[in-house]
């Protein structure tokens, strides 16, 4: 990873760089970086630490591949928002606009960082802003979940808890991979395609005309035109 950011309040964060444009060997010496990674691991993997993430599975696979440990999953702002409003966008910028007291769009400040036109300090500041936004969003999400629960969404805490409990399992599966029988998978795909064609022919016979069920335009014309159904 280029850098790693940690916030401990809504206004305080630190960005720890690892890569550096000015030093091709990295920002730190090997000994310094080794100690830093060890200290970060002690914090993020501590059994008493409630670590907050935005789409933590993405960061977790980086930490596993490059720093050889899996951090704790204390709270994931993306998962919590999805549990409340599953059809709403879940990007950090959108969550900030909903939950943060003072929202100004900042994602173009460093997301497409180009070292030839942007100093690294701007990228590191951008990383810190991501962190403090995530911290504040988590605070507000917990309050929102409590309010919705009192308002009648009594199962919501269970849904939120389940989303968080299953995430480490999914992360480990993603890192380990899944066994695949390519021959059986190909045979199953051909069987399903053949069955789909059979069903589609049956539908066309029942409807008395050619019909592409994957075409919203044709389905609309068939139901509201041919069958004269009320919308």
């Amino acid at each position: 990873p280029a850098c790693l950011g940690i916030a401990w309040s809504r206004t305080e964060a630190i960005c720890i760089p690892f890569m550096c444009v000015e030093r091709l060997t990295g920002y730190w010496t090997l000994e310094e970086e080794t100690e830093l990674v060890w200290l970060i691991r002690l914090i993020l993997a501590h059994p008493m630490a409630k670590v907050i993430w935005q789409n933590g599975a993405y960061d977790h696979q980086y930490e596993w591949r490059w720093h050889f440990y899996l951090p704790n999953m204390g709270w994931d702002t993306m998962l919590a928002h999805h549990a409340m409003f599953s059809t709403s966008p879940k990007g950090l910028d959108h969550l900030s606009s909903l939950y943060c007291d003072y929202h100004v769009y900042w994602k173009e400040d460093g997301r497409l960082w180009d070292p030839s036109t942007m100093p690294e300090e701007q990228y590191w500041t951008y990383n810190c802003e991501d962190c403090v936004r995530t911290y504040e969003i988590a605070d507000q999400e917990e309050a929102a979940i409590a309010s919705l629960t009192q308002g009648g969404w009594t199962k919501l805490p269970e849904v939120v808890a389940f989303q968080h409990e299953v995430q480490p399992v999914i992360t480990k599966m993603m890192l380990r991979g899944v066994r695949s029988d390519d021959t059986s998978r190909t045979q199953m795909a051909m069987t399903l395609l053949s069955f789909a064609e059979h069903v589609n022919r049956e539908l066309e016979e029942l409807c008395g005309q050619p019909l592409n069920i994957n075409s919203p335009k044709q389905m609309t014309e068939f139901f509201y035109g041919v069958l004269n159904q009320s919308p």
Side-chain angles (χ1 to χ4, degrees):
C3 58
L4 183 145
I6 300 176
W8 55 92
S9 78
R10 296 186 180 195
T11 57
E12 299 170 292
I14 184 173
C15 175
I16 303 168
F18 289 105
M19 294 190 289
C20 179
V21 174
E22 297 175 0
R23 309 173 206 171
L24 297 180
T25 56
Y27 192 88
W28 313 95
T29 65
L30 177 61
E31 292 75 16
E32 289 171 336
E33 184 167 327
T34 301
E35 184 174 4
L36 269 172
V37 170
W38 175 250
L39 293 172
I40 292 167
R41 178 190 179 279
L42 289 179
I43 295 172
L44 298 186
H46 193 283
M48 297 298 290
K50 178 186 176 182
V51 189
I52 299 168
W53 306 88
Q54 162 69 13
N55 190 15
Y58 180 83
D59 299 289
H60 287 188
Q61 54 96 18
Y62 267 102
E63 288 302 291
W64 176 259
R65 294 183 190 281
W66 295 102
H67 295 156
F68 313 111
Y69 77 98
L70 280 176
N72 288 352
M73 171 63 80
W75 187 270
D76 192 307
T77 49
M78 186 184 77
L79 295 180
H81 181 74
H82 175 71
M84 288 186 283
F85 309 109
S86 60
T87 60
S88 170
K90 289 171 275 292
L92 189 63
D93 54 338
H94 182 73
L95 300 193
S96 172
S97 71
L98 296 177
Y99 297 106
C100 291
D101 289 337
Y102 179 71
H103 169 73
V104 174
Y105 183 73
W106 79 102
K107 293 304 289 182
E108 302 306 325
D109 294 351
R111 177 163 50 189
L112 303 176
W113 176 64
D114 182 351
S116 64
T117 59
M118 183 187 301
E120 284 183 295
E121 288 77 8
Q122 181 174 335
Y123 186 64
W124 299 334
T125 301
Y126 163 80
N127 178 235
C128 286
E129 185 153 7
D130 274 2
C131 293
V132 294
R133 298 278 184 169
T134 302
Y135 188 100
E136 182 177 358
I137 290 165
D139 267 357
Q140 299 286 31
E141 282 181 336
E142 290 185 314
I145 288 167
S147 177
L148 290 169
T149 303
Q150 293 175 359
W153 293 20
T154 55
K155 295 292 185 180
L156 181 57
E158 295 178 28
V159 176
V160 175
F162 175 78
Q163 290 277 358
H164 285 88
E165 288 167 6
V166 77
Q167 192 60 47
V169 179
I170 294 172
T171 301
K172 289 179 180 178
M173 290 173 61
M174 176 181 68
L175 295 172
R176 184 189 63 207
V178 180
R179 289 184 183 275
S180 175
D181 184 335
D182 291 342
T183 301
S184 296
R185 187 173 62 180
T186 301
Q187 290 174 349
M188 184 180 293
M190 296 304 296
T191 300
L192 291 173
L193 283 171
S194 176
F195 180 69
E197 290 176 3
H198 171 71
V199 171
N200 200 61
R201 284 196 300 270
E202 280 193 339
L203 281 172
E204 289 184 346
E205 289 178 10
L206 290 168
C207 297
Q209 66 178 66
L211 187 65
N212 178 10
I213 60 173
N214 294 314
S215 167
K217 183 174 184 293
Q218 286 192 33
M219 295 302 287
T220 299
E221 291 174 351
F222 178 72
F223 276 104
Y224 303 139
V226 177
L227 298 183
N228 198 28
Q229 295 289 311
S230 299

